[in-house]
């Protein structure tokens, strides 16, 4: 990476544009960056760092004030750096955030955000790469291969930091080395291994928990069977343990429990089989005795039922004969009922006919032939019913005719009223339009007038502020001129005293001359005319220091006034840009005029708004009234036409219906009268027809009954009626007869059954059943035996289930234990490895992996640094890395020792003198730069800056250090030295001088002639 050009504008102490051509400056490979204290040497390095990374090193970034205070208010701060790296040529331009004077802002400034532009030279022309801060930062980081922290340690070697690094403790060195070499990935490896070890340990713990759970479940099955107590009781031994004892293998304990559970299951199976055999035998004995007792009971009951059946036999025969006669008479019941019903209907029909004929006579109707009269009335009624809708339509037309006549009058009145209102509303609209016309032009200018009034008011304020700031600026200007004059006088006084001290130096030197001894200046042993001293050196030095302090104090006061003057001038410039130089009376007159115009326009706008609202309301009212007028006129015309049409229809219908009424007020009333006569005639016709039907039915029923009596064996109808029984009697007789026959059949079946035959034989042989008490005792013995058999079968089932469960759990335990062997071994290995990488466990040096890697890098740095320190110290000193074990268990690995080749002794770096510390820290910085450069991907660092520290060296050491620095130029590298040492100015011809001035610093490239 080589820097070719640097342009600085309004950055740091540089107010005016500064151009630095590093290609020209570094023609000899070594140049000196010098200048007075505070001139801006470090600011040049800051500008390079800011251009490449967008920030400056260390604590200076926290100030966040990169723009030059000496620059003009409107000048934009900017840094342009042209460089090449990895075979590519770039130009990066950056501007920090700054406050630009604003023409309209009330506070006088507008904040400008930071800007960045990256260009690359391709085929002889510049091509823009990006103008986004983040994209440019990513591109440059990739090209340079270093972050800002590494860049400031490798390219800009800060001697103070490395001197502190040389004397610091191991933990302090760790932070810097880790930032430079980026070994966070090794810490990530430590964390990952620690996490893997924790995960493996958790897996082993989970496996152990699962194994413990399986053992607990086996112990629970063992406790459920009460196996230890049962086994001890069976063998006459103490109770066994229900879980593995310390030192006992769980698998051996599992095998023992599995064997015990199987043995217990076999024993309980045998007990259950014996109990089942005894229960079966006792139950069979009870069932045999119970069946024999039941058989003999059934035989005794059947014998008693047979005796009762024989006693009821005669009554059953009588009932059977009565039911036979009833069934023959019941066949004739239908004919008998038909004859009786026909006689009753004839009598009822005769009574009805007589009554209807009496009603006809009372109504004045003909009773001799009611059928013909009925047909005539039906014909007349049909005609009237057909014309009833016409009469209803006539009534509806009359009602509508009256309603429509009223509507015609209402609509005509409404139309007349609407016309009157319309005329008045149109007159009102014309009046409002005349009032609106003169107000519209004035109201349209309201927004523009308000803006002009606001600008006029703001201008009055700006003019007032301009007057105030102008007075302040005049006062500050007078103070500044006076302070500058005072500072110049004090500076001249200081220079005069200094010149006097320098002139007096010859007298002081002459005072030390001795005859015959060489002069320290010319070397002559003769001193013909020694200079005379005016004043003592101590007094002149004190006077010079006092004059210098007075001058510096005046410079500080002048600087404060300059800043105040610049700030006030910027504010005044902003106010002038906003019109602050306008006459105050003129500004106030404009403001008053603008306010009056705004008030008049605002009043016109308010009046115009009211008139427009009234005009809009009148328009809406006219539209509504016009709509009502048109509707009323149309409705009146339509209603008049409808009235005329309805009147014509009403007259035609009235003429057609007048002949059909025959004296009745309406067709409906005449139809109601005909309906009443029709009803009487229809009733007479129906009564005569029913009488004829009843007489014919009586004759048919009598003929059918006579024929049926002859066939059924009865002589007369009365005889047949006497043999018919009531339904209840019939049901009772049939039930008694059915019960008798059913009981007889059942008894025959019972006595033919095997149980009663066997019981009869046993009774004949005097083999009687057991007594009730003996039978109950047999039942109790069988029940107890069955309960005992069920309990032992259940116990055997539980033991079998436990045996299966124990076998399954033992198999799961062995499988899980086998699966956990590898994770346990892996967890142990990972735990030991993680402890070692963290610097604990068997790691006696307590050196973590990250520290180990950094120790290797530090060893490389020490070797690279020793190559230069040997040359600088005339072969006396070398730096060596030490990983000696630290005291009190502290972590080791990042120790540094200096080896004194003259004495062969090793000692701590803190024992070096000031000059020796400078040489060691410079060597360390150069060595670290070489190693970091290799770590950064082999980026070739062709431009290198070395900071202050040369003043602590004697002449010989300075000579050796310069020889080492000149060796850095090998391979085309450019080295810039930052120093105040006069010897350096004489030895290095190419120099970049930073010149400090009251209005900012400037740079100049000079080529000095060697002395």
């Amino acid at each position: 990476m080589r820097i070719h050009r640097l342009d600085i504008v309004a950055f740091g102490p540089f107010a005016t544009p500064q151009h630095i051509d590093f290609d020209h400056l570094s023609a000899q490979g070594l140049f000196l960056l010098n200048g007075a204290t505070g001139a801006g040497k470090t600011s040049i390095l800051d500008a390079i760092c800011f251009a490449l990374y967008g920030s400056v090193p260390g604590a200076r970034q926290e100030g966040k004030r990169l723009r030059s205070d000496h620059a003009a208010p409107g000048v934009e701060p900017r840094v342009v750096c042209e460089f090449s790296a990895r075979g590519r040529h770039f130009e990066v331009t950056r501007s920090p955030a700054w406050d630009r004077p604003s023409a309209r802002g009330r506070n006088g400034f507008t904040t400008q955000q930071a800007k960045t532009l990256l260009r690359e030279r391709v085929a002889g022309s510049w091509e823009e790469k990006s103008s986004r801060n983040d994209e440019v930062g990513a591109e440059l980081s990739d090209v340079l291969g270093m972050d800002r922290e590494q860049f400031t340690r490798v390219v800009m070697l800060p001697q103070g930091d490395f001197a502190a690094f040389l004397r610091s403790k191991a933990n302090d060195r760790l932070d810097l080395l880790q930032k430079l070499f980026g070994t966070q990935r090794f810490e990530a490896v430590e964390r990952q291994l620690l996490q893997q070890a924790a995960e493996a340990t958790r897996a082993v713990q989970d496996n152990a928990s699962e194994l413990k759970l399986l053992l607990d479940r086996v112990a629970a099955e063992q406790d459920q069977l009460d196996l230890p107590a049962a086994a001890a009781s069976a063998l006459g031994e103490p109770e066994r343990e229900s879980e593995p004892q310390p030192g006992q293998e769980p698998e051996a304990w599992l095998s023992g429990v599995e064997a015990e559970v199987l043995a217990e299951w076999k024993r309980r199976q045998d007990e259950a089989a014996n109990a089942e055999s005894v229960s079966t035998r006792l139950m069979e004995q009870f069932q045999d005795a119970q069946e024999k007792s039941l058989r003999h009971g059934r035989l005794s009951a059947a014998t008693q039922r047979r005796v009762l059946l024989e006693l009821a036999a005669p009554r059953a025969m009588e009932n059977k004969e009565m039911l036979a006669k009833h069934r023959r008479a019941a066949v004739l019941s239908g004919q008998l009922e038909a004859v009786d019903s026909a006689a009753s209907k004839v009598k009822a029909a005769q009574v009805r006919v007589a009554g209807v004929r009496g009603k006809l006579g009372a109504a004045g109707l003909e009773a001799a032939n009611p059928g013909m009269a009925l047909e005539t009335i039906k014909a007349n009624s049909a005609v009237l019913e057909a014309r009833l809708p016409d009469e209803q339509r006539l009534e509806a037309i009359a009602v509508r005719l009256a309603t429509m006549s009223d509507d015609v009058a209402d609509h005509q009145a409404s139309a007349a009223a609407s016309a009157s209102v319309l005329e008045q509303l149109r007159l009102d609209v014309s009046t409002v339009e005349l009032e609106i016309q003169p107000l519209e032009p004035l109201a349209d200018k309201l927004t523009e007038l308000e803006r002009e009034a606001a600008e006029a008011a703001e201008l009055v304020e700006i003019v007032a502020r301009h007057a105030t700031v102008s007075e302040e600026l005049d006062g500050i200007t007078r103070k500044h001129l006076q302070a500058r004059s005072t500072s110049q006088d004090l500076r001249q006084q200081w220079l005069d005293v200094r010149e006097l001290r320098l002139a007096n130096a010859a007298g002081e030197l002459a005072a030390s001359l001795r005859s015959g001894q060489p002069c320290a200046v010319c070397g002559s042993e003769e001193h013909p005319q020694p200079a005379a001293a005016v004043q003592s050196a101590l007094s002149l030095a004190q006077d010079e220091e006092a004059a210098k302090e007075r001058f510096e104090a005046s410079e500080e006061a002048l600087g404060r006034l300059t800043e105040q003057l610049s700030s006030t001038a910027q504010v005044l410039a902003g106010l002038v840009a906003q019109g602050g130089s306008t006459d105050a009376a003129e500004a106030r007159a404009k403001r008053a005029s603008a306010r009056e115009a705004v008030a008049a326009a605002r009043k016109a706008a308010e009046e115009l708004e009211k008139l427009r609202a009234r005009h809009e309301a009148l328009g809406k009212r006219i539209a509504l009234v016009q709509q009502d007028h048109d509707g009323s006129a149309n409705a009146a015309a339509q209603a008049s036409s409808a009235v005329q049409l309805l009147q014509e229809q009403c007259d035609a219908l009235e003429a057609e219906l007048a002949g059909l009424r025959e004296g009745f007020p309406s067709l409906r009333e005449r139809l109601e009268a005909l309906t009443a006569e029709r009803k009487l005639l229809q009733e007479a016709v129906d009564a005569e027809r029913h009488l004829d039907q009843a007489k014919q039915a009586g004759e048919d029923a009598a003929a059918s009954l006579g024929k049926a009596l002859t066939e059924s064996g009865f002589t007369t109808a009365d005889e047949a009626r006497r043999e018919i029984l009531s339904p209840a009697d019939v049901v009772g007789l049939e039930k008694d007869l059915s019960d008798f026959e059913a009981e007889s059949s059942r008894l025959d079946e019972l006595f033919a059954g095997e149980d009663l035959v066997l019981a009869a034989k046993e009774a004949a042989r005097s083999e009687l059943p057991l007594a009730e008490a003996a039978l109950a005792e047999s039942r109790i013995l069988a029940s107890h035996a069955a309960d005992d058999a069920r309990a032992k079968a259940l116990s055997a089932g539980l033991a079998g289930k436990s045996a299966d469960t124990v076998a399954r759990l033992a198999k799961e335990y062995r499988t899980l234990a086998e699966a956990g062997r590898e994770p346990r071994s892996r967890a142990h290995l990972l735990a030991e490895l993680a402890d070692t990488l963290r610097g604990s466990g068997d790691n006696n040096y307590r050196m973590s992996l990250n520290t180990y890697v950094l120790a290797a890098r530090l060893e490389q740095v020490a070797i690279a640094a020793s190559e230069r320190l040997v040359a600088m110290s005339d072969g006396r000193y070398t730096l060596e890395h030490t990983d000696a074990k630290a005291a009190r268990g502290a972590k080791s690995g990042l120790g540094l020792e200096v080896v004194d080749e003259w004495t062969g002794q090793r000692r701590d770096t803190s024992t070096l003198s000031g000059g020796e510390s400078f040489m060691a820290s410079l060597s360390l910085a150069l060595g670290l730069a070489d190693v970091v450069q290799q770590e950064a991907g082999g980026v070739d660092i062709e431009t290198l800056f070395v900071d202050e520290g040369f003043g602590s060296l004697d002449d010989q050491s300075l000579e050796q250090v310069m020889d080492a620095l000149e060796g850095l130029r090998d391979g085309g590298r450019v080295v810039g030295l930052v120093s105040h040492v006069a010897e350096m100015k004489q030895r290095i011809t190419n120099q970049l001088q930073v010149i400090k001035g009251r209005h900012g610093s400037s740079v100049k490239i000079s080529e000095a002639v060697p002395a």
Side-chain angles (χ1 to χ4, degrees), residues 327-400:
R327 290 190 180 98
R328 285 190 290 110
V331 174
L332 302 174
S333 61
Q335 285 84 351
L336 293 172
E337 291 178 357
V339 171
D340 294 341
S341 176
S344 298
K345 289 181 179 180
V346 169
K347 291 179 181 180
Q350 290 173 348
V351 173
R352 181 182 177 189
V353 169
V356 171
R357 287 179 178 176
K359 292 180 181 179
L360 289 174
L365 298 175
E366 184 180 356
N369 192 0
M372 184 177 297
L374 180 62
E375 292 300 325
T376 301
I377 290 177
K378 285 183 177 180
N380 293 334
S381 297
V383 174
L384 294 175
E385 287 178 354
R387 299 306 300 270
L388 277 178
D390 292 339
E391 186 177 55
Q392 293 175 355
R393 189 157 58 89
L394 178 61
E395 294 173 355
I397 288 173
V399 173
R400 289 179 60 195

Side-chain angles (χ1 to χ4, degrees), residues 467-479:
T468 302
V469 174
S470 297
E471 293 177 0
E472 293 178 358
L473 182 61
D474 292 341
I476 295 172
T477 301
R478 289 192 297 271
K479 293 180 181 179

Side-chain angles (χ1 to χ4, degrees), residues 17 98 143 152 242 318 377 390 402 476 608 654 720 724 766 789 920 988:
W98 66 291
V143 170
T152 55
S242 60
E318 292 178 0
I377 290 177
D390 292 339
I476 295 172
L608 180 61
E654 182 64 31
I724 294 176
S766 299
I988 301 176

